[in-house]
mmCIF file of all heavy atoms in Angstrom:
data_model
loop_
_atom_site.group_PDB
_atom_site.id
_atom_site.type_symbol
_atom_site.label_atom_id
_atom_site.label_comp_id
_atom_site.label_asym_id
_atom_site.label_seq_id
_atom_site.Cartn_x
_atom_site.Cartn_y
_atom_site.Cartn_z
ATOM 1 N N ALA A 48 21.017 12.635 15.979
ATOM 2 C CA ALA A 48 19.950 13.349 16.451
ATOM 3 C C ALA A 48 20.438 14.535 17.457
ATOM 4 O O ALA A 48 21.507 14.198 18.059
ATOM 5 C CB ALA A 48 19.058 12.487 17.259
ATOM 6 N N PHE A 49 19.917 15.632 17.317
ATOM 7 C CA PHE A 49 20.317 16.772 18.125
ATOM 8 C C PHE A 49 19.045 17.413 18.929
ATOM 9 O O PHE A 49 18.552 18.523 18.418
ATOM 10 C CB PHE A 49 20.992 17.867 17.187
ATOM 11 C CG PHE A 49 22.301 17.421 16.613
ATOM 12 C CD1 PHE A 49 22.118 16.684 15.394
ATOM 13 C CD2 PHE A 49 23.393 17.740 17.159
ATOM 14 C CE1 PHE A 49 23.260 16.315 14.775
ATOM 15 C CE2 PHE A 49 24.554 17.278 16.525
ATOM 16 C CZ PHE A 49 24.569 16.554 15.338
ATOM 17 N N PRO A 50 18.545 16.607 19.836
ATOM 18 C CA PRO A 50 17.387 16.993 20.470
ATOM 19 C C PRO A 50 17.578 18.295 21.345
ATOM 20 O O PRO A 50 18.594 18.370 22.014
ATOM 21 C CB PRO A 50 16.857 15.764 21.251
ATOM 22 C CG PRO A 50 18.187 14.978 21.567
ATOM 23 C CD PRO A 50 18.957 15.313 20.262
ATOM 24 N N ALA A 51 16.600 19.217 21.366
ATOM 25 C CA ALA A 51 16.774 20.560 22.034
ATOM 26 C C ALA A 51 17.156 20.205 23.498
ATOM 27 O O ALA A 51 17.831 20.986 24.141
ATOM 28 C CB ALA A 51 15.602 21.278 21.923
ATOM 29 N N VAL A 52 16.481 19.173 24.125
ATOM 30 C CA VAL A 52 16.609 19.006 25.659
ATOM 31 C C VAL A 52 18.070 18.684 26.018
ATOM 32 O O VAL A 52 18.499 18.766 27.103
ATOM 33 C CB VAL A 52 15.686 17.892 26.156
ATOM 34 C CG1 VAL A 52 14.261 18.254 25.950
ATOM 35 C CG2 VAL A 52 16.052 16.523 25.399
ATOM 36 N N GLU A 53 18.909 18.379 25.046
ATOM 37 C CA GLU A 53 20.266 17.970 25.311
ATOM 38 C C GLU A 53 21.162 19.156 25.259
ATOM 39 O O GLU A 53 22.387 19.092 25.396
ATOM 40 C CB GLU A 53 20.876 16.945 24.368
ATOM 41 C CG GLU A 53 20.125 15.568 24.579
ATOM 42 C CD GLU A 53 20.767 14.355 23.812
ATOM 43 O OE1 GLU A 53 21.771 14.673 23.065
ATOM 44 O OE2 GLU A 53 20.099 13.351 23.658
ATOM 45 N N PHE A 54 20.716 20.376 24.938
ATOM 46 C CA PHE A 54 21.569 21.572 24.758
ATOM 47 C C PHE A 54 21.007 22.655 25.646
ATOM 48 O O PHE A 54 19.657 22.736 25.870
ATOM 49 C CB PHE A 54 21.533 21.976 23.315
ATOM 50 C CG PHE A 54 22.203 20.914 22.411
ATOM 51 C CD1 PHE A 54 21.414 19.935 21.769
ATOM 52 C CD2 PHE A 54 23.552 20.840 22.229
ATOM 53 C CE1 PHE A 54 21.861 18.958 21.056
ATOM 54 C CE2 PHE A 54 24.157 19.931 21.443
ATOM 55 C CZ PHE A 54 23.294 18.938 20.795
ATOM 56 N N ASP A 55 21.764 23.625 26.025
ATOM 57 C CA ASP A 55 21.388 24.747 26.852
ATOM 58 C C ASP A 55 20.741 25.903 26.052
ATOM 59 O O ASP A 55 20.092 26.780 26.578
ATOM 60 C CB ASP A 55 22.503 25.389 27.796
ATOM 61 C CG ASP A 55 23.708 25.755 26.947
ATOM 62 O OD1 ASP A 55 23.633 25.639 25.647
ATOM 63 O OD2 ASP A 55 24.658 26.127 27.456
ATOM 64 N N SER A 56 20.821 25.750 24.760
ATOM 65 C CA SER A 56 20.134 26.787 23.868
ATOM 66 C C SER A 56 20.038 26.260 22.452
ATOM 67 O O SER A 56 20.752 25.382 22.058
ATOM 68 C CB SER A 56 20.884 28.070 23.925
ATOM 69 O OG SER A 56 22.141 27.905 23.227
ATOM 70 N N ARG A 57 19.152 26.872 21.731
ATOM 71 C CA ARG A 57 18.984 26.545 20.278
ATOM 72 C C ARG A 57 20.383 26.950 19.573
ATOM 73 O O ARG A 57 20.787 26.273 18.722
ATOM 74 C CB ARG A 57 17.952 27.419 19.637
ATOM 75 C CG ARG A 57 16.589 26.894 19.715
ATOM 76 C CD ARG A 57 15.508 27.686 19.074
ATOM 77 N NE ARG A 57 15.781 28.142 17.706
ATOM 78 C CZ ARG A 57 15.757 29.356 17.357
ATOM 79 N NH1 ARG A 57 15.292 30.316 18.023
ATOM 80 N NH2 ARG A 57 16.188 29.670 15.943
ATOM 81 N N GLU A 58 21.032 28.004 19.918
ATOM 82 C CA GLU A 58 22.219 28.416 19.352
ATOM 83 C C GLU A 58 23.291 27.329 19.557
ATOM 84 O O GLU A 58 24.098 27.022 18.566
ATOM 85 C CB GLU A 58 22.752 29.733 19.981
ATOM 86 C CG GLU A 58 21.907 30.950 19.616
ATOM 87 C CD GLU A 58 20.619 31.085 20.364
ATOM 88 O OE1 GLU A 58 20.338 30.410 21.285
ATOM 89 O OE2 GLU A 58 19.746 31.975 19.793
ATOM 90 N N HIS A 59 23.479 26.776 20.813
ATOM 91 C CA HIS A 59 24.289 25.722 21.080
ATOM 92 C C HIS A 59 24.009 24.505 20.181
ATOM 93 O O HIS A 59 24.863 23.860 19.628
ATOM 94 C CB HIS A 59 24.401 25.473 22.552
ATOM 95 C CG HIS A 59 25.504 24.381 22.900
ATOM 96 N ND1 HIS A 59 25.190 23.586 23.946
ATOM 97 C CD2 HIS A 59 26.682 24.113 22.426
ATOM 98 C CE1 HIS A 59 26.338 22.745 24.074
ATOM 99 N NE2 HIS A 59 27.104 22.996 23.120
#
Side-chain angles (χ1 to χ4, degrees):
F49 297 84
V52 297
E53 292 183 9
F54 299 92
D55 58 2
S56 67
R57 277 183 45 230
E58 290 76 15
H59 183 211

